[in-house]
């Protein structure tokens, strides 16, 4: 999978992987169709950071969740 391409499939994949890694219960708030296309690189940065870590503190999870919320369409 080439995550350098801004596609709905890639966006969905990264969101699902972030939710799995963070064990997010409220995944309904994160849907690929709700994210701004022009912020794909920001989502990829979050994905890369999450994928590279094994554990997260509560404050890190809160910060990541807040940042993902910022990427949602108004």
């Amino acid at each position: 999978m080439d995550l350098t391409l801004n596609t709905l499939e890639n966006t969905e994949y990264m969101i699902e992987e972030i939710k799995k890694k963070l064990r997010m219960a409220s995944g309904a708030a994160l849907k690929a169709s709700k994210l701004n296309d022009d912020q794909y690189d920001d989502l990829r940065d979050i994905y890369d950071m999450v994928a590279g870590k094994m554990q997260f503190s509560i404050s890190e999870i809160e910060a990541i969740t807040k940042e993902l919320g910022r990427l949602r369409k108004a």
Side-chain angles (χ1 to χ4, degrees):
M1 180 171 285
D2 183 3
L3 295 179
T4 62
L5 302 175
N6 183 350
T7 66
L8 184 60
E9 180 182 74
N10 284 347
T11 301
E12 288 172 347
Y13 171 80
M14 287 190 290
I15 289 171
E16 287 306 310
E17 291 302 307
I18 291 168
K19 289 189 313 190
K20 281 185 216 172
K21 189 87 176 212
L22 299 180
R23 297 181 185 109
M24 295 178 73
S26 61
L30 290 174
K31 293 188 184 211
S33 61
K34 302 266 187 212
L35 295 181
N36 288 316
D37 288 340
D38 58 338
Q39 294 181 313
Y40 181 82
D41 290 333
D42 293 338
L43 175 63
R44 185 154 174 236
D45 289 342
I46 294 169
Y47 168 79
D48 288 340
M49 188 267 302
V50 169
K53 287 192 71 162
M54 295 301 292
Q55 296 181 12
F56 299 90
S57 69
I58 292 172
S59 61
E60 286 175 316
I61 292 171
E62 288 173 352
I64 293 165
T65 303
K66 183 177 180 180
E67 187 64 18
L68 289 170
R70 187 186 66 75
L71 298 180
R72 289 180 34 198
K73 292 178 185 173

